[in-house]
Amino acid sequence: MTPQTIRKAVIPAAGFGTRFLPATKATPKEMLPLVDKPLIQYGVEEAVAAGCTDIIIVTGRGKTTMEDHFDRSPELEAALGARGKTELLQLVQSIASLARISYVRQPDALGLGHAVLMAKELVGQEPFAVILPDDIVDAQPGCLAQMVAAFAETQATILGTEWVEGDAISLYGCLDCTPHPTNPRLVAVNNLVEKPRPQEAPSQNAIIGRYILTPRIFAMIEQLTPGTGGELQLTDALRALLKYEQIYGFHYQGQRYDAGDKLGFLKATVDFALQHDAVGPAFRNWLRTQKF
Ligand code: G1P
């Protein structure tokens, strides 16, 4: 069989963003900026850097600014052009040509599994990536690119994985897994459980918001009944998939931030600001003058 490649990435972005209220009352949390770029653009750029040409964003009510962000902006472009602001003009234009982006609506927030299911028709019968835009991974090469390279070897479902300390495991999907015989970054998944109680967690291997999934996952989601939090959980669909296919966890190289959480968002902001070409040096100097 010809090895399959990953051309499509699904980005679920229909959540309410309650952890950021009131900022997210009328603004999608995916549009909150880390320094000067909205969260969702980091996800799209990571998918593009991994070789994806088609991005499917799962949206909901009140999220249309995301569509405007990735569209052309003729008035703004004309104004920047007239003022000779060439660099900004190129920056604005480049966002609209990042990838082919389609949008599908999730009418009710019924869980991550349900959000992924909304993309079934647009994905079709091929393996695809899922990026949760709250999880920002600072990595070179990007986290998804690392996983795509591993997929070239396994041709099987791969879940981005990270070792977390103590009770934090109950915030994540958790893997029961064993080391891969040859690739130290891979683990073979034996079982998965969504947000286990700390004392019941089979390991400290947490699933992060990066997935490469085979299309059989859609049939597994369709058969789901509501799980943790009354939602259709992707983790439960993956457990059902284990009956048919091998699943791997992948320990990526890089630094992840939970930007869906205030503290994680602030950490990411500081680290990205320090790395920023224009403001980084001045921000570092200013931080040095602060007393904590
Ligand atoms: C979701 C998944 C969970 C995963 C996490 C990664 O949970 O259900 O398995 O570990 O993303 O960020 P959420 O954070 O949306 O509650």
Side-chain angles (χ1 to χ4, degrees):
M1 219 167 76
T2 334
Q4 293 192 285
T5 53
I6 306 300
R7 301 184 307 141
K8 299 182 179 175
V10 175
I11 305 189
F16 289 127
T18 45
R19 286 185 284 175
F20 278 101
L21 282 169
T24 46
K25 184 167 177 243
T27 301
K29 70 169 169 180
E30 296 78 9
M31 289 302 290
L32 297 177
L34 276 187
V35 189
D36 52 9
K37 220 193 277 184
L39 283 180
I40 192 158
Q41 192 178 331
Y42 288 91
V44 170
E45 288 178 349
E46 186 180 323
V48 170
C52 295
T53 51
D54 290 73
I55 311 290
I56 300 153
I57 299 182
V58 183
T59 78
R61 286 179 292 283
K63 298 266 184 172
T64 47
T65 51
M66 290 192 300
E67 297 176 40
D68 291 338
H69 183 73
F70 292 108
D71 198 356
R72 293 293 301 271
S73 182
E75 294 83 5
L76 176 61
E77 290 172 31
L80 292 172
R83 290 181 207 164
K85 297 199 180 283
T86 335
E87 266 185 42
L88 280 180
L89 176 60
Q90 283 167 356
L91 179 74
V92 165
Q93 287 174 332
S94 67
I95 299 169
S97 50
L98 273 171
R100 237 186 332 260
I101 305 190
S102 338
Y103 300 87
V104 59
R105 302 267 286 217
Q106 184 187 17
D108 299 296
L110 299 180
L112 179 58
H114 183 254
V116 171
L117 185 60
M118 298 297 102
K120 179 182 169 189
E121 269 71 36
L122 289 171
V123 168
Q125 284 304 310
E126 59 183 284
F128 63 103
V130 174
I131 290 190
L132 306 188
D134 282 2
D135 270 347
I136 294 287
V137 186
D138 187 12
Q140 205 52 253
C143 181
L144 188 64
Q146 296 175 36
M147 289 171 62
V148 164
F151 177 81
E153 187 186 320
T154 62
Q155 295 286 301
T157 290
I158 299 183
L159 318 175
T161 304
E162 176 180 305
W163 186 264
V164 297
E165 299 293 336
D167 291 1
I169 193 64
S170 55
L171 299 171
Y172 298 94
C174 173
L175 303 181
D176 174 353
C177 53
T178 42
H180 186 273
T182 56
N183 186 334
R185 297 216 157 268
L186 285 177
V187 290
V189 174
N190 310 315
N191 201 2
L192 317 83
V193 43
E194 179 68 7
K195 302 193 173 78
R197 282 193 259 165
Q199 62 276 22
E200 284 160 14
S203 78
Q204 298 295 117
N205 286 285
I207 304 171
I208 66 144
R210 298 292 181 277
Y211 305 77
I212 292 178
L213 303 172
T214 57
R216 185 180 271 158
I217 196 71
F218 293 121
M220 302 297 111
I221 300 170
E222 279 166 340
Q223 288 160 28
L224 280 183
T225 50
T228 307
E231 297 186 339
L232 295 182
Q233 296 291 352
L234 185 57
T235 304
D236 294 341
L238 286 162
R239 192 171 47 253
L241 185 67
L242 265 180
K243 295 194 193 91
Y244 304 92
E245 297 177 9
Q246 175 72 67
I247 298 179
Y248 294 98
F250 178 78
H251 283 273
Y252 66 97
Q253 245 173 332
Q255 170 72 48
R256 180 183 66 97
Y257 301 90
D258 177 5
D261 166 78
K262 283 193 193 81
L263 185 59
F265 187 88
L266 288 170
K267 289 178 183 170
T269 300
V270 170
D271 282 359
F272 279 71
L274 286 170
Q275 291 176 42
H276 193 277
D277 286 343
V279 297
F283 184 55
R284 185 178 302 273
N285 287 339
W286 178 79
L287 274 182
R288 286 206 178 104
T289 67
Q290 296 307 297
K291 294 195 175 50
F292 297 107

